[in-house]
Amino acid sequence: METQHNPFFNSALIVGMIFALLSTAVSLGVGYSMINSEPTGSLFTPASFSFFFVCLVVLFAGTFAVRHHVKEYNEALPMGRGAVIGLVTGVVTAVFASVFSLVWLLIDPAFNDNLMNALIANFEAISEIPAAQRDEMIDGIYTQFQKQSTVAGQLSTAALNSVFYGLINALTGMLGVKLFSPKQDSIEL
């Protein structure tokens, strides 16, 4: 039984761009909520959970890419093919999310500085930890934002996100095969 492998890049590209736009919107929403709120003096702020929120948004890009591919070609997919579709979708999502974030910095160039200042103000308001430890955490935030403002920082973030998003979406791509792929006939005559 010969299986025709239809191209899946269109599905990965379409779904990846949509999920990149969604993850960028979630990141910006959390960032602006942090910028526009008063320092709480709490370690657990919306910004500290933003990575979790973005992961929830990006988590099922592979599943939806497989669903899109199955609807397009109506062919049964092996698990490995679903994993590849998910992996490529995750990488596309990470790349486009980085591009959308950079485009947003053209629209609001002060966003990163305002977010950094809001995070630092929040850490300065924390009274439960010793001053030396708090100052070390603030220096870490400042250093991290300075690294992010460089081209190398942007590229390393895009690379790390590509690996992470690719791996989790390879798993959800296999889930998409289980949920959406038509079953292969196992009887050969």
Side-chain angles (χ1 to χ4, degrees):
M1 178 180 206
E2 189 174 318
T3 305
Q4 178 184 355
H5 290 292
N6 293 314
F8 61 85
F9 191 72
N10 285 342
S11 297
L13 186 65
I14 292 166
V15 173
M17 286 177 58
I18 291 168
F19 275 82
L21 191 60
L22 289 172
S23 70
T24 302
V26 168
S27 295
L28 290 173
V30 169
Y32 279 114
S33 74
M34 183 72 180
I35 290 168
N36 294 323
S37 64
E38 291 295 320
T40 61
S42 172
L43 284 173
F44 301 108
T45 62
S48 62
F49 293 112
S50 66
F51 183 72
F52 177 71
F53 294 137
V54 171
C55 282
L56 280 178
V57 169
V58 172
L59 183 64
F60 293 103
T63 304
F64 283 99
V66 168
R67 182 178 181 274
H68 183 271
H69 181 74
V70 167
K71 285 204 174 271
E72 185 103 1
Y73 295 103
N74 197 24
E75 82 171 0
L77 294 175
M79 283 289 191
R81 184 88 167 154
V84 170
I85 293 171
L87 176 76
V88 172
T89 304
V91 171
V92 167
T93 302
V95 169
F96 276 100
S98 296
V99 169
F100 292 154
S101 294
L102 290 173
V103 168
W104 189 257
L105 289 179
L106 295 174
I107 295 168
D108 184 4
F111 175 75
N112 282 342
D113 289 336
N114 292 339
L115 182 60
M116 179 185 68
N117 291 334
L119 287 169
I120 289 173
N122 188 60
F123 274 94
E124 287 173 343
I126 298 173
S127 60
E128 294 94 28
I129 57 176
Q133 186 179 3
R134 183 176 53 239
D135 291 342
E136 188 177 307
M137 293 167 81
I138 290 170
D139 289 342
I141 291 170
Y142 181 79
T143 303
Q144 188 64 30
F145 272 87
Q146 293 306 310
K147 285 180 185 176
Q148 280 297 98
S149 66
T150 65
V151 172
Q154 291 291 326
L155 290 175
S156 67
T157 299
L160 286 173
N161 285 345
S162 293
V163 169
F164 182 71
Y165 292 176
L167 290 176
I168 63 172
N169 281 294
L171 296 174
T172 61
M174 290 187 292
L175 176 66
V177 169
K178 280 299 222 186
L179 295 174
F180 303 115
S181 180
K183 306 301 177 228
Q184 286 182 336
D185 293 331
S186 58
I187 300 174
E188 289 186 33
L189 297 176

